[in-house]
Amino acid sequence: MHKVIYDTDPGVDDAMALLFLHRHPDIDLIGITTVFGNASIETTTRNALFLKREWNIPAPVAKGANATIDPSRREIGWPTHVHGEDGLGNIDVPETIDLPLDPCPAYRFIIDTVRANPGEVTLVAVGRMTNLALALREDPEIAGLVKAVVIMGGNFYVHGNVSPVAEANIHGDPEAADIVMTAPWKVAVIGLDVTAVTTMSRSYLGEMAARGDEAVRLLDALSQDYIDFYKHAVEDGMMVHDSCACVYLVAPELFTTMTGPVRVVCGGIADGQTILKPDGRRFPPGEWDGRPSQIVCTGIESEKVIGLIRETLLRV
Ligand code: BDR
Ligand code: CA
């Protein structure tokens, strides 16, 4: 059984991944931590509480960061054209949800939960890496106490989605991402190389909604505008970025990988670019030296991944 803390900025594809974590039989979702990104921290936290309520998810929700780890970075605004004004596809999420938040901020929730379950907790992070970086800064020893870290973010041998070289979650807080990539823990990086080719069509999701329960019907409803947004890149469908990270956790055999230290460019025209130095390749001394080797996904069996998402979401 995988004990998971889900660090998320819901977010349409975050919502699908949340339902996957909640319904997968080998996953014990023990906490949800929120971060700014697809919308403000107030909105992503409200959305996490909304989905917790609608889907009867027992895990507590802890509110996380509302700004980059480097306070001198300026926020560039929310991607409302992707995830909607409400962050969940313009379905009119209620202004407030009458559920309590965990009393701790996200980084503290992560530290305390990891320390209470040494060697057992996997962090699945699918937004900006700010909460994880804050947790490491506050308590660096947690790197040795976490079982694994799986992130959705970055791009290695394909172009980015917010700049020619950068992906949104990394670009949104590059300094935090570099802290996470270079910490002495095992990170599996699920980036655009694999998520941008893993798409679900509107009709496939609609058929799932017809067979499934209210939870899947809500997911179908909140995904419609997101599918509209993707018409430039996907034939009447959407990229299921964040779910790919959750699938990696339970079915890593569906991915091909490379290993090596990863660094994140901080500043300049390549701000937020993720760069792997493959293990075994020799280069002159450089910024990757002495950093831990991480796992970078470069290939995926997309159809099987989509099938596993379907099967999991239709479990009740
Ligand atoms: C990532 O950015 C967000 O828009 C999505 O939720 C996903 O985590 C994809 O680049
Ligand atoms: Ca996300």
Side-chain angles (χ1 to χ4, degrees), residues 73-301:
R73 279 192 178 265
R74 285 215 334 269
E75 185 49 58
I76 43 181
W78 316 122
T80 52
H81 59 298
V82 185
H83 294 272
E85 291 295 332
D86 61 3
L88 282 180
N90 296 319
I91 54 163
D92 288 332
V93 182
E95 287 275 303
T96 56
I97 304 296
D98 193 16
L99 279 183
L101 280 170
D102 190 272
C104 292
Y107 77 92
R108 173 52 59 191
F109 178 90
I110 292 170
I111 292 168
D112 291 352
T113 309
V114 167
R115 285 203 166 272
N117 302 269
E120 293 185 4
V121 176
T122 297
L123 305 176
V124 176
V126 299
R128 303 181 191 198
M129 303 298 142
T130 321
N131 291 332
L132 273 59
L134 288 170
L136 282 168
R137 191 165 74 180
E138 178 77 9
D139 185 355
E141 283 180 8
I142 62 161
L145 300 172
V146 160
K147 183 176 176 193
V149 181
V150 181
I151 71 163
M152 189 281 132
N155 53 293
F156 294 84
Y157 304 106
V158 299
H159 54 69
N161 60 2
V162 290
S163 90
V165 295
E167 181 278 331
N169 289 342
I170 305 299
H171 187 261
D173 196 343
E175 285 81 8
D178 195 53
I179 290 170
V180 169
M181 300 287 194
T182 56
W185 56 13
K186 209 29 145 191
V187 184
V189 187
I190 318 311
L192 295 176
D193 302 66
V194 297
T195 69
V197 294
T198 306
T199 61
M200 185 179 285
S201 71
R202 199 189 300 268
S203 58
Y204 191 95
L205 180 59
E207 185 269 341
M208 283 168 56
R211 276 176 188 260
D213 61 356
E214 279 302 316
V216 185
R217 279 191 279 286
L218 173 59
L219 185 66
D220 181 48
L222 66 83
S223 299
Q224 294 305 310
D225 282 12
Y226 184 69
I227 292 172
D228 291 344
F229 161 75
Y230 267 115
K231 64 176 176 283
H232 64 283
V234 182
E235 174 85 42
D236 206 29
M238 60 185 174
M239 297 177 190
V240 295
H241 302 287
D242 294 346
S243 294
C244 292
C246 304
V247 171
Y248 178 85
L249 179 65
V250 292
E253 69 279 4
L254 299 180
F255 297 77
T256 50
T257 57
M258 294 173 67
T259 59
V262 174
R263 297 301 309 264
V264 179
V265 178
C266 296
I269 63 167
D271 199 27
Q273 182 176 13
T274 47
I275 307 177
L276 166 73
K277 175 178 179 278
D279 284 334
R281 288 295 300 266
R282 291 167 64 104
F283 296 96
E287 300 294 334
W288 291 260
D289 297 352
R291 310 293 181 162
S293 178
Q294 310 295 13
I295 301 168
V296 168
C297 290
T298 51
I300 186 168
E301 294 195 52

Side-chain angles (χ1 to χ4, degrees), residues 8-9 13-14 38 126-127 169 242:
T8 177
D9 59 339
D13 60 319
D14 303 70
N38 287 329
V126 299
N169 289 342
D242 294 346

